[in-house]
Amino acid sequence: MSLIDHDRADGADRTLGLLLAERDSLRRFVTGLMGRDPHGAEDVVQETLLRAWQSADRLDWRDRPIRLWLFRVARNLVVDGRRRDRSVPVGITAADFGPAMPAPVPDHAEQVGDRRVLVSALRTLTPAHREAVARVHLLGQPGEDVARRLGLPPGTVKSRTHHGIRALRATLESHGFRPAGAEQLRKETR
């Protein structure tokens, strides 16, 4: 072992001795800051000692007492932990919104009337357009599946549903029936 390595080993032993000598006072200080959280306090003490060990070559161990540096680092770790804990969002539950409003009761007479108007409008479409619109929009089948089942290219199914919906909209509007969101749908299909 060379003289330089021996000095480094002595310096590391001295550093470790100084840190361990401050451990109990540091634990008391952190426990006073954190209250009754012994596990959290021990985590802060260990993190503080680890940072001191990692910064050992940059700290002035001879002319300045290391205790002040350790206490400052520990205090900063406690403050950072409180900020982090405080910033965790709290979940919102249904109880936070008060009693639930009863679900609106559907007007069955209105639904029957709407269906009759829709069925009569569907009858005005050609059979090819009616089948494409019914499968895609009423039954919710993907256009690719409809194309495969009908033996058509996917583009043809898209075209038939597009033109079928436009014809349905025109028929419904000519009878004075304006579904909710009709303006938005008109803009989307242009």
Side-chain angles (χ1 to χ4, degrees):
M1 178 181 269
S2 72
L3 186 58
I4 294 174
D5 291 335
H6 185 57
D7 287 343
R8 281 188 190 151
D10 286 345
D13 289 341
R14 184 172 180 272
T15 301
L16 183 60
L18 289 171
L19 290 177
L20 291 178
E22 298 294 337
R23 186 167 192 250
D24 290 333
S25 60
L26 183 61
R27 184 181 299 118
R28 282 192 302 274
F29 174 72
V30 171
T31 302
L33 292 174
M34 294 187 69
R36 300 198 180 270
D37 183 10
H39 300 292
E42 187 61 33
D43 288 344
V44 169
V45 169
Q46 288 179 12
E47 180 65 24
T48 303
L49 294 175
L50 176 65
R51 289 184 183 192
W53 182 260
Q54 291 172 338
S55 303
D57 58 337
R58 291 174 282 167
L59 295 175
D60 183 9
W61 295 85
R62 292 185 184 153
D63 297 333
R64 292 183 61 198
I66 193 65
R67 178 180 284 193
L68 298 176
W69 187 89
L70 291 172
F71 282 21
R72 174 55 64 184
V73 170
R75 182 189 168 284
N76 290 344
L77 288 171
V78 170
V79 169
D80 289 346
R82 285 187 181 155
R83 286 180 184 154
R84 184 179 52 248
D85 292 344
R86 189 175 56 207
S87 68
V88 174
V90 177
I92 298 175
T93 63
D96 296 334
F97 294 102
M101 296 294 293
V105 178
D107 183 6
H108 294 292
E110 188 176 323
Q111 288 178 347
V112 169
D114 291 347
R115 283 190 187 132
R116 289 184 59 109
V117 170
L118 181 61
V119 168
S120 68
L122 280 169
R123 287 187 180 136
T124 64
L125 297 177
T126 65
H129 288 98
R130 183 173 44 243
E131 185 170 19
V133 168
R135 286 182 180 261
V136 172
H137 291 286
L138 299 179
L139 299 176
Q141 297 174 355
E144 294 82 19
D145 291 349
V146 173
R148 200 171 29 258
R149 287 185 183 143
L150 297 178
L152 298 170
T156 302
V157 173
K158 287 180 183 180
S159 175
R160 287 181 182 176
T161 56
H162 172 76
H163 291 293
I165 291 293
R166 287 187 74 165
L168 271 177
R169 187 175 296 120
T171 302
L172 291 172
E173 288 177 357
S174 70
H175 287 91
F177 187 76
R178 298 199 47 106
E183 290 301 316
Q184 182 64 29
L185 287 174
R186 180 178 291 112
K187 291 176 186 174
E188 290 175 2
T189 57
R190 287 185 183 169

